[in-house]
Amino acid sequence: MLLAIDVYYIDNSAKTVGVLFDNWQADSPAEILVAYKHDVAPYQSGEFYIRELPCITELLKQVDLSTLSAIIVDGYVCLDNHGKSGLGDYLYQYIDRQVPVIGVAKKAFNENTKYVAEVFRGKSSKPLYVTAVGLPLERVAEAVGTMHGKHRMPTLLTLMDQQTKIFKLE
């Protein structure tokens, strides 16, 4: 089972959505998980994990990590060519390296070329920026490339993004 996670913020509250799916080519989720968190930290460039990680860990309370083959986050595992940890690496450390973590980002960050693979999907001239810990980057980039959907963003990552934006405070 794979788990893709994204977080959406309104003021100091957050909605975290997790999309569980059976394999890289799945076109529909096995399950959609939701968690809400209030009083989240403000955004800090380069230290996004401070805001995002508590939201993700709240969602992970609903998941048996032993059932997962990877976790996909909207962001980076590694931020630069020097190996500076990003959200994905902080998550990997938090879960005691039990499950590989993959970062899939829509924008390049900090001239990161050493630890990132550009994945072109569909007819898009813009890549997705893929990073990983716990699995070889080349294998992960290939897997992201095979995800369902004919556009730049895979079907289930688009669904996840849409689900985060349907926001009601709980």
Side-chain angles (χ1 to χ4, degrees):
M1 188 74 60
L2 297 156
L3 173 64
I5 302 173
D6 194 12
V7 182
Y8 184 74
Y9 301 93
I10 292 183
D11 300 323
N12 67 342
S13 293
K15 177 184 181 184
T16 307
V17 172
V19 174
L20 284 163
F21 51 105
D22 296 322
N23 59 61
W24 289 103
Q25 293 77 34
D27 64 350
S28 60
E31 187 175 357
I32 297 176
L33 307 171
V34 177
Y36 293 90
K37 186 149 183 64
H38 303 286
D39 300 320
V40 296
Y43 171 78
Q44 296 177 47
S45 180
E47 295 185 349
F48 187 50
Y49 72 94
I50 293 172
R51 183 176 201 189
E52 193 104 342
L53 190 58
C55 301
I56 291 172
T57 59
E58 188 67 30
L59 181 94
L60 288 179
K61 292 175 183 177
Q62 301 176 48
V63 180
D64 177 357
L65 293 179
S66 71
T67 66
L68 300 178
S69 56
I71 298 172
I72 302 163
V73 295
D74 180 14
Y76 281 84
V77 169
C78 184
L79 295 178
D80 62 22
N81 289 333
H82 303 289
K84 182 179 179 182
S85 292
L87 171 64
D89 192 45
Y90 284 103
L91 175 58
Y92 189 61
Q93 303 307 320
Y94 177 85
I95 61 173
D96 294 324
R97 302 179 176 138
Q98 294 177 65
V99 181
V101 177
I102 299 159
V104 177
K106 296 181 241 18
K107 295 181 182 178
F109 184 79
N110 211 20
E111 298 181 23
N112 185 356
T113 58
K114 187 174 178 182
Y115 300 105
V116 73
E118 293 183 355
V119 175
F120 291 87
R121 291 179 37 88
K123 295 179 182 177
S124 180
S125 61
K126 294 180 180 181
L128 293 174
Y129 300 92
V130 177
T131 53
V133 61
L135 287 171
L137 181 57
E138 299 78 22
R139 189 170 130 205
V140 169
E142 183 179 321
V144 170
T146 68
M147 289 180 79
H148 183 271
K150 52 185 166 182
H151 302 291
R152 178 180 181 223
M153 286 301 293
T155 301
L156 292 178
L157 299 187
T158 299
L159 172 68
M160 176 184 64
D161 184 61
Q162 292 167 345
Q163 291 295 309
T164 61
K165 292 179 175 104
I166 301 169
F167 197 100
K168 56 182 188 174
L169 291 175
E170 290 191 8

